[in-house]
Amino acid sequence: MNYLLIENNQLVCVCGYKPNISDDNIQIIEYAGSIPTERILYIDGQVADSNDYVILNGKYVKNTAAVAELVNTNREAKKYLNNTDWIVLRHRDQVDSGLETSLTQEQYIDLLNKRQAARERVVEYGC
């Protein structure tokens, strides 16, 4: 038997024994489920397995195919932006130094458009 300590509707502790707490702000819930204690979440008044959720914008959200796609899209878009930063910097340095650029103006504009499209795909979320 596990005991969940809930304060302000947030899980603050999982105990393997019944705690002796008299604070009115803390709710004690008996839980005999099979989720290992390190994976227990208390969400919307329900006990849940943390493997079934991800954190988006600071909140736990059920990990669905759509959410997984969003997380993957964010990861890929951010990876693309990080991987192309050096190309933009090189081009600007070459222009500022009066050197011949490695990219044509068309290629550079195309790169900037692709980077902007990647930025528009990124949805910020917290971890």
Side-chain angles (χ1 to χ4, degrees):
M1 177 71 63
N2 289 307
Y3 296 88
L4 310 181
L5 278 65
I6 309 297
E7 184 174 16
N8 298 324
N9 210 28
Q10 296 288 322
L11 176 67
V12 293
C13 183
V14 178
C15 298
Y17 58 90
K18 186 171 183 174
N20 186 13
I21 297 176
S22 61
D23 191 335
D24 292 335
N25 294 333
I26 296 180
Q27 176 186 7
I28 300 171
I29 298 174
E30 289 185 14
Y31 180 70
S34 61
I35 301 171
T37 58
E38 67 273 6
R39 291 189 358 225
I40 290 177
L41 291 177
Y42 185 73
I43 301 173
D44 299 327
Q46 301 289 323
V47 175
D49 187 332
S50 64
N51 285 349
D52 297 335
Y53 289 83
V54 295
I55 298 175
L56 292 177
N57 297 327
K59 295 181 181 179
Y60 283 101
V61 177
K62 188 81 169 159
N63 193 6
T64 63
V67 169
E69 181 64 27
L70 172 68
V71 170
N72 187 52
T73 297
N74 279 356
R75 186 181 306 114
E76 291 300 316
K78 287 179 179 181
K79 181 179 176 183
Y80 176 77
L81 291 168
N82 287 333
N83 288 344
T84 57
D85 278 347
W86 72 273
I87 300 171
V88 172
L89 290 172
R90 179 190 65 190
H91 185 83
R92 290 179 185 167
D93 287 349
Q94 289 171 336
V95 169
D96 290 345
S97 299
L99 301 173
E100 183 179 342
T101 59
S102 300
L103 299 176
T104 66
Q105 190 61 18
E106 277 184 9
Q107 291 171 323
Y108 182 64
I109 296 298
D110 184 51
L111 174 64
L112 293 181
N113 288 334
K114 288 178 182 176
R115 286 173 54 85
Q116 183 58 39
R119 278 189 209 92
E120 290 169 0
R121 286 193 308 270
V122 173
V123 177
E124 289 302 320
Y125 60 92
C127 300

